[in-house]
Structures are given as C-alpha cells and as structure tokens.
Amino acid sequence: MLRWFRAFLPKEERFFDLFARHSQTVVQGAEALQDMLRGGDETPVYCQRVSQFENDADAITREVLTAVRRTFITPFDRVDIKNLITSMDDAIDQMQQTAKAVILFEVRSFEPPMREIGTLLVECANLVGRALPLMKSIGPNVAMLTAITEELGKLEGRVDDLHDIGLKELFLKHRNASAMDFIVGAEIYDHLEKVADRFDDVANEINSIVIEQV
C-alpha cells in the first residue's frame, strides 16, 4: 500500500542531480589516478588532483545525506540512497588512499599492470556515470542497468587478475634485490584492487535498488 501511495506523490528529483555531480567527480578522480599512474615528475600534481576531487565528492555526499533527512518523498528508500552514495564515495576515498601511498613512498614510476588497472578504473567510473540517470525510470531500463552492473563485476574480476599478475612480477623482479620495493609495489596494488572492489559495491547497491523497484 505504501509503495502504491508513494507512486502518486511527486518525487524529489534533485537527488539525481546530486548523483550526477558525484559520479562526474568520481570520473575526474579516476582520470587523475590514471594520469598519476603514468609516473614521472608530475606524479605529485595528479595525486593532489585526486585528493581535491575526493574532497569535492565528500561535500556532495554530505548534501545527499542532508537531503535524505529533509525530503519527504525520495526517489527510492532512504537507506538505499544512503548506501548508494556512500558506496560511490568509498570508491573515490580509496583512490585518495592510493594517492596518499604514492606520496608517502615517493613513487615516481609504475608497473604496466598498475597502469592497466588505472585504465579499467576509469571504465568503471564511466559505467557508474551511465547507470545513474537510468535509475530515474528503472522499469524500462532494467536490462541496461543489469548489463552495466554485470560489466562492473567483470572489470573488478580483471583487476583482481592484474593484481595477482602484478604481484608475481614484482616478486620475480625484486626477490634478489630490494624487499622494500616489493613491499611498496604490493601496497599500491592492494589499494588499486580495493578501488575496483568499491566499484563492485556500487554495482551491488544498484542491483539491490533495481530488485526492490521492479
């Protein structure tokens, strides 16, 4: 009965504007992370850009959570909105953790699998950006939303594979040399893998909302 009643009431559409702003910030953060992974003297500049986009995303997240408290009619359940924006924010938070590790260890060059992971993370961010507008009208877009979340899952699996390949290559490269170089490289791989994990969490939140709404 409650769902039937809500269907006849106007919904607060500004949530989708906030989702769009946040997702654009996540894309920008992923692109800055990708640029960071190219290495070179500009690496700290791109690390700073990742942190700035993360700060911007935090501000938008706070707007969403405030709107959830103050809005009578929301596009879908309040808990779902909170979980969705939080999972998106977790993704860019983890990007910032990666950038912080790079600054801490003064890394200026990155292994090929790391750079490939960076490319995949940009793909993940763009997929999330494509999915969110479709959630304004979930019914007609179920197939597309399902395809997007499945692709996010596949990308997360490819990142896992690259993580394992990269660790193996690091071990072979440094087993008779610097243990610290292996430790630092492994730390960066772990952070990058966690970014992909957070995007997979976003996919799971989208799937949960789709299931509840259809």
Side-chain angles (χ1 to χ4, degrees), residues 11-165:
K11 296 179 180 178
E12 178 54 76
E13 297 298 334
R14 65 174 169 156
F15 284 103
F16 292 105
D17 293 334
L18 292 170
F19 289 152
R21 284 171 52 200
H22 194 288
S23 67
Q24 181 57 37
T25 305
V26 172
V27 169
Q28 291 171 317
E31 290 173 343
L33 188 73
Q34 182 184 39
D35 289 335
M36 180 199 78
L37 292 168
R38 294 192 176 102
D41 294 338
E42 294 296 301
T43 299
V45 174
Y46 293 115
C47 290
Q48 180 58 40
R49 289 185 184 178
V50 172
S51 292
Q52 182 58 57
F53 290 129
E54 191 276 336
N55 290 336
D56 294 343
D58 277 348
I60 298 168
T61 298
R62 288 192 291 271
E63 284 189 62
V64 171
L65 297 179
T66 298
V68 166
R69 292 194 299 271
R70 295 180 177 177
T71 304
F72 180 64
I73 299 297
T74 56
F76 27 84
D77 288 347
R78 297 169 193 274
V79 172
D80 290 333
I81 293 173
K82 174 181 176 294
N83 290 343
L84 177 59
I85 196 66
T86 299
S87 64
M88 292 167 59
D89 206 51
D90 286 345
I92 195 166
D93 284 348
Q94 192 57 55
M95 293 179 207
Q96 185 188 43
Q97 292 303 312
T98 310
K100 284 183 175 180
V102 169
I103 292 294
L104 176 64
F105 296 116
E106 300 181 350
V107 182
R108 296 294 181 272
S109 63
F110 301 90
E111 303 296 326
M114 294 178 182
R115 295 196 293 272
E116 189 171 349
I117 289 173
T119 299
L120 296 181
L121 295 178
V122 172
E123 289 186 39
C124 288
N126 282 320
L127 283 170
V128 171
R130 284 177 52 198
L132 294 175
L134 300 177
M135 299 180 72
K136 290 182 180 179
S137 183
I138 291 177
N141 294 312
V142 169
M144 182 60 70
L145 286 166
T146 300
I148 289 173
T149 56
E150 287 178 353
E151 183 61 23
L152 282 166
K154 291 176 183 177
L155 289 173
E156 190 269 340
R158 288 169 61 189
V159 170
D160 282 348
D161 292 340
L162 286 167
H163 170 271
D164 295 343
I165 291 169

